[in-house]
Amino acid sequence: MIEAVKLWNNISNVIQKDITNISFQTFIFPIQAGFIDGSCLYLESPNEVTSNLVNSKYMGLITKTAREIDSNIKSVQILLPNELENLRNTLKESKEEKNSVNKKYTFENFVVGNNNRFVYTVALAVAEQPAEVYNPLFIYGGVGLGKTHLLHAIGNFVQEFKPDVKVKYVTAEAFMNDLIKNLQGKEASSAFRNRYRNLDVLMIDDIQFIAGKQATQEEFFHTFNALHELGKQIIITCDRQPNEVEHLEARLSSRFQWGLIADIQSPDIETRIAILKKKAEIAKIEASDEAFTYIAEKFHSNIRELEGALTKIRAFASMNKRKIDLSVAKEALVDAKAKDVDVEASCDRILNIVSSHYGITVSDLKGVKRSRGVSEPRQIAMYLVREILSMPFASIGKTFGGKDHTTVIHAYNKVSSAVQNSPRLATEISDLIKMIDIN
C-alpha cells in the first residue's frame, strides 16, 4: 500500500482529466491527504461546505479511482481538520492499547500445576466473559510466579475472540508516570482520563507500587470507580493480599475485595519440571530429563530462577560444544546461589543462630508473639531462610509454625527494603550469614 499523500496526488491527477478545471480548482484542489488506516483513505476538507459538496458530487469518482490505483483501498472518507485529528488520536490510542499486550504470553503456554490451577481457571473465565464474572479479579503471589503471564494471556484471549473490546495492560509504575506527565495543576488531563476510563478491560500489574503515593492512589480510585460503575472488567496483580499492602488507602483495599481474590503459590517439583520442559520446547533447547530434574530440585522459588538457570546451562553447553545432560547442568550451575544442602538441617541452623543472636528461643520464632523483640527477629529469620535456601514462601510458612505464605512474603519484602536503607541492619544481616555459613 502506498502512502496517503502519494495516493491522493495520483487520484487528483486522474480526476483532473475527467472534470472541468473550474470544478477541480473549486472542489478537489482544496482537499488534502490525511492518512490510511486499514482499507480506508482519510482525506481532509478545509470546511463543511466543501466536504458536503465533494461527498455528494465526487465521492463515487474518488473511491473508484482510489480502488483502481491501490486495490487495498476499499473506502474513502472526507473529514474536517478537527475530526481527522480526533480520529487519528483515537486510532493511535487503540493501537497502543492493543500493543500493550505481549503476544508471547498465552493460556496455551502457561503451565498449570497444583500451585496455580485455581487462578488459571478464574483468569480463563474472566477472559471468556469480561465483567460478567469475578470483577474485579485480584491476583497475588510472590515474584516470578506467573501473575504477569496471566494478565497478558487474558489480554491476548480477549483481543483474539472479542476484537472490538478495548483492552489495556499497564504496570502501576507506568500508570503513575503517565499520570505525572498529564497533570494540569492538581488535576489529571481529560486525555489521560479518557485513555483509562473508556476501556473495556483494564489490567494493572504490581499495584503495591502505588502504595503511599497519594495522587496516584486518588486517580486510580476514581478510575476504578468509573470503570466498575460502567460494568467494565478490572484485573489487578499484587505481591500480597490487599489488606496486607502497607500505606494502601483503605478505600482502595476495600474495593479490591469486591470481586475475587486468588493467589499463586510456588510451584511444586513436578510443575517446575513441566515449566522447564515447556520453556525448552519454545526455545528449541534439547536437554535430558535428568538435567531438568536437577534444575527443578536446585531452584524452588520462582519461574524466573528456572529460566535463568536454563539459559545459563544452554550458554555453557554451546560454548563447550556439549549436549545438555546432568553433568553439564551441574558444571554450569556450580556457582549458582542455591547449593545442594540439607534444607531441613540448614533451616534449623538458621533458626538456632538467629534465636541465639537475639536472645530468644526457636519456639518464639515459630510462635505468634508480636512484640518487637520477637517479630523483627522472626522476619529476619524468614528473610535469611529465603535468601540462603531459596525455599518456597509456603514451605517457609510451614517451618515457622504454619504461617500463611503471604506473611512470609511481607516479612521478606520488609527486610529487603530495610536492608537497603539501614547500614546497621545490612551489617547485622551480613554477620548472621557469616555465622550460618551453610555453604
Side-chain angles (χ1 to χ4, degrees):
M1 182 180 291
I2 61 178
E3 61 181 19
V5 173
K6 186 175 181 180
L7 177 57
W8 176 237
N9 287 339
N10 291 341
I11 294 170
S12 300
N13 291 335
V14 172
I15 290 176
Q16 190 171 11
K17 299 174 184 176
D18 294 335
I19 63 176
T20 65
N21 186 55
I22 292 177
S23 295
F24 179 83
Q25 294 297 329
T26 304
F27 302 117
I28 304 301
F29 184 76
I31 302 296
Q32 300 293 316
F35 59 90
I36 296 171
D37 184 73
S39 61
C40 185
L41 168 65
Y42 293 96
L43 302 174
E44 180 180 315
S45 171
N47 53 62
E48 192 171 350
V49 173
T50 301
S51 181
N52 290 337
L53 286 170
V54 171
N55 272 317
S56 61
K57 296 187 66 173
Y58 298 106
M59 183 51 70
L61 177 59
I62 292 172
T63 303
K64 175 176 175 292
T65 306
R67 290 172 178 171
E68 290 173 351
I69 295 172
D70 188 339
S71 60
N72 292 307
I73 298 297
K74 305 301 179 186
S75 62
V76 179
Q77 288 190 37
I78 297 179
L79 302 174
L80 298 176
N82 64 321
E83 295 174 332
L84 193 69
E85 184 62 25
N86 289 339
L87 177 62
R88 193 193 302 270
N89 290 335
T90 299
L91 291 171
K92 180 182 177 183
E93 288 172 9
S94 177
K95 289 174 182 176
E96 286 176 351
E97 286 157 11
K98 191 168 184 178
N99 292 336
S100 72
V101 179
N102 192 323
K103 297 299 180 185
K104 77 175 185 177
Y105 296 119
T106 65
F107 284 114
E108 287 74 18
N109 60 30
F110 185 87
V111 178
V112 181
N114 293 329
N115 65 306
N116 59 25
R117 183 169 283 106
F118 175 71
V119 71
Y120 171 87
T121 302
V122 298
L124 183 57
V126 166
E128 291 174 336
Q129 297 178 290
E132 294 184 31
V133 292
Y134 315 131
N135 190 28
L137 173 59
F138 189 98
I139 301 172
Y140 74 94
V143 174
L145 295 180
K147 301 187 300 295
T148 300
H149 186 140
L150 280 176
L151 287 187
H152 288 292
I154 292 170
N156 281 316
F157 187 98
V158 172
Q159 288 182 346
E160 180 178 358
F161 294 101
K162 302 175 185 293
D164 294 331
V165 172
K166 290 183 286 186
V167 178
K168 186 174 183 66
Y169 163 88
V170 64
T171 65
E173 182 178 11
F175 178 87
M176 185 190 75
N177 291 336
D178 198 7
L179 172 64
I180 291 171
K181 286 190 296 184
N182 286 273
L183 283 175
Q184 296 178 346
K186 293 185 178 180
E187 294 292 325
S189 70
S190 59
F192 171 86
R193 289 179 173 168
N194 288 336
R195 186 153 57 249
Y196 286 96
R197 299 185 191 183
N198 290 326
L199 296 168
D200 297 304
V201 179
L202 172 62
M203 304 179 293
I204 186 158
D205 208 355
D206 289 328
I207 196 65
Q208 72 274 4
F209 183 86
I210 71 172
K213 299 173 175 67
Q214 187 175 352
T216 306
Q217 291 191 77
E218 176 78 18
E219 190 59 38
F220 186 73
F221 172 78
H222 293 299
T223 297
F224 182 101
N225 285 346
L227 290 173
H228 200 271
E229 288 171 6
L230 291 170
K232 307 302 183 180
Q233 180 69 55
I234 304 164
I235 310 161
I236 300 162
T237 72
C238 189
D239 62 355
R240 68 205 81 168
Q241 295 189 58
N243 58 6
E244 294 182 347
V245 181
E246 294 182 4
H247 309 301
L248 181 69
E249 291 183 2
R251 58 179 179 171
L252 274 177
S253 177
S254 173
R255 278 160 174 73
F256 294 163
Q257 296 176 69
W258 281 355
L260 178 70
I261 298 176
D263 71 317
I264 302 182
Q265 298 183 12
S266 296
D268 56 29
I269 188 165
E270 291 83 5
T271 305
R272 296 200 298 274
I273 292 172
I275 290 169
L276 282 167
K277 289 185 174 181
K278 174 63 75 173
K279 299 292 182 184
E281 179 186 341
I282 293 171
K284 297 181 179 179
I285 299 173
E286 293 185 5
S288 69
D289 288 342
E290 292 81 4
F292 287 130
T293 301
Y294 177 76
I295 301 168
E297 289 175 341
K298 195 175 184 70
F299 298 95
H300 315 93
S301 56
N302 65 60
I303 298 165
R304 292 177 195 171
E305 284 186 343
L306 296 173
E307 287 182 301
L310 186 61
T311 300
K312 186 173 183 179
I313 292 170
R314 181 187 194 181
F316 180 86
S318 176
M319 286 187 293
N320 291 279
K321 298 181 180 179
R322 295 167 63 185
K323 292 182 178 181
I324 299 176
D325 56 17
L326 180 57
S327 63
V328 166
K330 286 184 174 181
E331 288 181 55
L333 299 178
V334 68
D335 295 324
K337 186 175 186 178
K339 303 292 183 179
D340 292 322
V341 297
D342 184 330
V343 174
E344 185 176 350
S346 299
C347 194
D348 288 342
R349 178 172 173 78
I350 292 172
L351 267 63
N352 284 325
I353 288 176
V354 171
S355 62
S356 175
H357 180 78
Y358 289 102
I360 57 177
T361 67
V362 171
S363 296
D364 288 332
L365 291 179
K366 294 182 177 182
V368 294
K369 290 182 181 178
R370 295 189 176 183
S371 62
R372 186 171 181 180
V374 174
S375 63
E376 286 189 358
R378 181 185 296 131
Q379 290 173 338
I380 289 171
M382 289 178 175
Y383 171 84
L384 290 170
V385 170
R386 174 68 173 181
E387 278 291 289
I388 295 171
L389 300 176
S390 296
M391 280 177 62
F393 289 119
S395 298
I396 297 173
K398 291 177 182 177
T399 299
F400 281 79
K403 292 178 175 57
D404 189 88
H405 74 283
T406 56
T407 301
V408 183
I409 293 172
H410 170 71
Y412 178 82
N413 290 335
K414 184 175 182 179
V415 176
S416 295
S417 177
V419 167
Q420 301 298 319
N421 301 312
S422 170
R424 179 199 61 78
L425 181 60
T427 301
E428 202 167 309
I429 294 290
S430 178
D431 290 342
L432 284 167
I433 291 173
K434 290 176 183 176
M435 284 189 279
I436 293 165
D437 191 26
I438 286 173
N439 298 324

